[in-house]
Amino acid sequence: MRRLGAAALGTAALVLVGFGPAAPANAAPADAARSTPAVAAKSASPSVTWTRACATPAKGQMACKALRVTGGTTAFQKEQAARTDSVTPDAADASTPSGYGPSDLQSAYGLTSAAASNGSGRTIAIVDAYNDPNAEADLAKYRTYYGLSACTTANGCFKKVSQTGSTTSLPTSDAGWSEEISLDLDMASAICPNCSILLVEATSASMTNLGKAVNEAVTLGAKYVSNSYGGSESSSDSTYDTSYFKHTGVAITVSAGDAGYGAEYPAASQYVTAVGGTALSASSTSRGWSESVWETSSTEGTGSGCSAYDAKPTWQTDTGCTKRAIADVSAVADPATGVSVYDSYGITAGWYTFGGTSASAPIIAGVYALAGTPSTGSYPAKFPYTAAGTSALNDVTSGTNGSCSSSYLCTAKSGYDGPTGVGTPEGVAAFTG
């Protein structure tokens, strides 16, 4: 039976929700994200609005894919209100969670048992740009509220380093990317609460620096590396592939993008698992949940597409794209059906709901971690394809994220499609090999 994560928690837990000061004025070059007009958009639920955590990047820079809900009523809140016969609150209230929590996500993807038993001794690396000075403290708020074990520097569960591995010489702090970091850390925790977490912060949002951070994560022993950012494809991508993403025996997940149909990099890398996004809602099905392609408009929704540069991996057999097709798998990303996150740097300290494929990428990294260490010499992006069409995956068959010449690249169907890949997890069996 499905559960609502916060519903079973006593009101005493709410004392953990605090309100703190905004980041100092010199907090970030990144406070460019705060000074740009909010990019508010309507989602599948017309009452939900959101803003992009990161400002539009300069040419050659990557953009984080975190979308923070700024108002309206989320799917989680509607379900809570229906259960208690109460008035639905506004998601802008940061005093209490308004998105799905760990038990919801574990239930939705058949992970409850694995999350309780697996993950010890395994490290999920989160790669993002710039520094979040409150990362560890905010993670503690999330984990304490939801009853997850402590994950701290002191107990060896949490570690934060720069792209060179330094624990003391860290990048400039950035408010927008700090939201992204909070989202990533919380989703890794939600799916694999027994895993250790390594946060690797790149000096800037350039592909070169983020790529060096990926390499550092692998050097430090992470077998699961989540990347919630992307940008335009370029003729340099094949070089980036071999320099930063060609790591056998390591599951590297990447957000497919939030701008609807159209390929992005590094999701287009043949060596990564490109993660698309869905809208996730409770249902009366035996699963207890239903999913469709996340789409707000033809330019707002999960990314998918056909790469212009990257070669097609051998495990992809679709015929409408001669090069790399995006995505491989998917998970929840619609802000209207978004996830609960605690964040305090540069905004009012408290609970926020986030969406975007920034949520789905660390979720899938967590699933890989629950599934176990990838075999030596393997490319884990292949694993879900061997389970395509089986009960190990939820095949998403409804919805679209735009228009395209090969319709399956932008419209869900039975079997493989671009927006959702071969489906969403139903347990861990499709993510091992």
Side-chain angles (χ1 to χ4, degrees), residues 354-382:
F354 277 84
T357 51
S358 273
S360 54
I363 286 173
I364 295 299
V367 178
Y368 273 114
L370 291 177
T373 305
S375 56
T376 301
S378 67
Y379 289 108
K382 178 182 179 179

Side-chain angles (χ1 to χ4, degrees), residues 3 114 139 152 194 205 253-254 268-269 271-272 319 321 330 339 383:
R3 296 172 293 163
L139 178 62
T152 65
N194 295 323
T253 63
V254 178
S269 171
Y271 302 117
V272 310
T319 59
C321 175
S330 52
V339 298
F383 299 168

Side-chain angles (χ1 to χ4, degrees), residues 72-90:
T73 304
T74 66
F76 173 84
Q77 291 176 305
K78 291 175 182 177
E79 291 166 19
Q80 288 281 68
R83 284 165 55 92
T84 60
D85 195 28
S86 60
V87 176
T88 54
D90 193 304

Side-chain angles (χ1 to χ4, degrees), residues 19 49 69-74 77 89-96 98 351-352:
F19 291 88
T49 58
V69 171
T70 55
T73 304
T74 66
Q77 291 176 305
D90 193 304
D93 178 7
S95 66
T96 187
S98 55
W351 293 97
Y352 295 90

Side-chain angles (χ1 to χ4, degrees), residues 4-421:
L4 291 170
L9 295 170
T11 56
L14 294 179
V15 300
L16 296 167
V17 180
F19 291 88
N26 63 353
D31 270 0
R34 299 293 124 222
S35 62
T36 54
V39 184
K42 291 186 177 181
S43 187
S45 167
S47 60
V48 171
T49 58
W50 69 79
T51 186
R52 299 185 184 278
C54 295
T56 302
K59 184 178 180 180
Q61 301 285 299
M62 298 287 111
C64 77
K65 301 301 178 183
L67 305 177
R68 175 169 51 85
V69 171
T70 55
T73 304
T74 66
F76 173 84
Q77 291 176 305
K78 291 175 182 177
E79 291 166 19
Q80 288 281 68
R83 284 165 55 92
T84 60
D85 195 28
S86 60
V87 176
T88 54
D90 193 304
D93 178 7
S95 66
T96 187
S98 55
Y100 291 130
S103 64
D104 302 307
L105 297 171
Q106 292 169 18
S107 169
Y109 296 121
L111 302 170
T112 303
S113 176
S117 304
N118 301 352
S120 180
R122 301 168 191 171
T123 298
I124 300 173
I126 301 298
V127 172
D128 282 309
Y130 302 109
N131 177 46
D132 177 1
N134 297 354
E136 185 173 356
D138 288 351
L139 178 62
K141 292 280 190 179
Y142 181 89
R143 293 180 70 103
T144 300
Y145 182 89
Y146 285 110
L148 307 180
S149 60
C151 188
T152 65
T153 301
N155 69 14
C157 174
F158 178 78
K159 186 175 184 178
K160 180 170 75 169
V161 300
S162 71
Q163 68 186 50
T164 63
S166 174
T167 59
T168 56
S169 181
L170 298 171
T172 304
S173 297
D174 181 288
W177 278 88
S178 290
E179 292 182 34
E180 175 65 64
I181 289 170
S182 291
L183 169 58
D184 294 345
L185 296 178
D186 290 357
M187 289 308 96
S189 297
I191 300 302
C192 191
N194 295 323
C195 284
S196 296
I197 300 176
L198 170 67
L199 172 60
V200 186
E201 298 178 330
T203 302
S204 74
S206 71
M207 188 64 259
T208 298
N209 284 327
L210 286 162
K212 289 178 179 178
V214 171
N215 286 347
E216 184 64 23
V218 176
T219 296
L220 293 175
K223 296 296 184 181
Y224 323 94
V225 184
S226 177
N227 303 269
S228 292
Y229 55 83
S232 301
E233 289 193 290
S234 77
S235 57
S236 299
D237 291 350
S238 59
T239 300
Y240 295 146
D241 274 0
T242 55
S243 297
Y244 307 128
F245 297 106
K246 191 177 182 180
H247 294 287
T248 57
V250 179
I252 301 177
T253 63
V254 178
S255 299
D258 301 335
Y261 179 73
E264 290 191 4
Y265 192 84
S269 171
Q270 61 182 302
Y271 302 117
V272 310
T273 300
V275 186
T278 67
L280 173 72
S281 299
S283 76
S284 58
T285 62
S286 58
R287 177 187 170 194
W289 301 85
S290 63
E291 289 178 279
S292 60
V293 173
W294 164 44
E295 183 218 21
T296 303
S297 69
S298 61
T299 58
E300 292 173 332
T302 184
S304 70
C306 181
S307 175
Y309 301 100
D310 247 83
K312 197 174 198 68
T314 57
W315 48 88
Q316 282 195 328
T317 58
D318 59 297
T319 59
C321 175
T322 58
K323 293 189 181 294
R324 166 69 154 119
I326 303 165
D328 298 309
V329 293
S330 52
V332 61
D334 187 345
T337 68
V339 298
S340 177
V341 172
Y342 189 92
D343 187 62
S344 68
Y345 186 67
I347 55 178
T348 299
W351 293 97
Y352 295 90
T353 293
F354 277 84
T357 51
S358 273
S360 54
I363 286 173
I364 295 299
V367 178
Y368 273 114
L370 291 177
T373 305
S375 56
T376 301
S378 67
Y379 289 108
K382 178 182 179 179
F383 299 168
Y385 287 86
T386 65
T390 73
S391 59
L393 293 161
N394 302 302
D395 190 6
V396 181
T397 59
S398 64
T400 182
N401 68 342
S403 59
C404 54
S405 56
S406 296
S407 63
Y408 76 92
L409 289 174
C410 57
T411 301
K413 69 176 189 65
S414 179
Y416 179 82
D417 59 70
T420 66

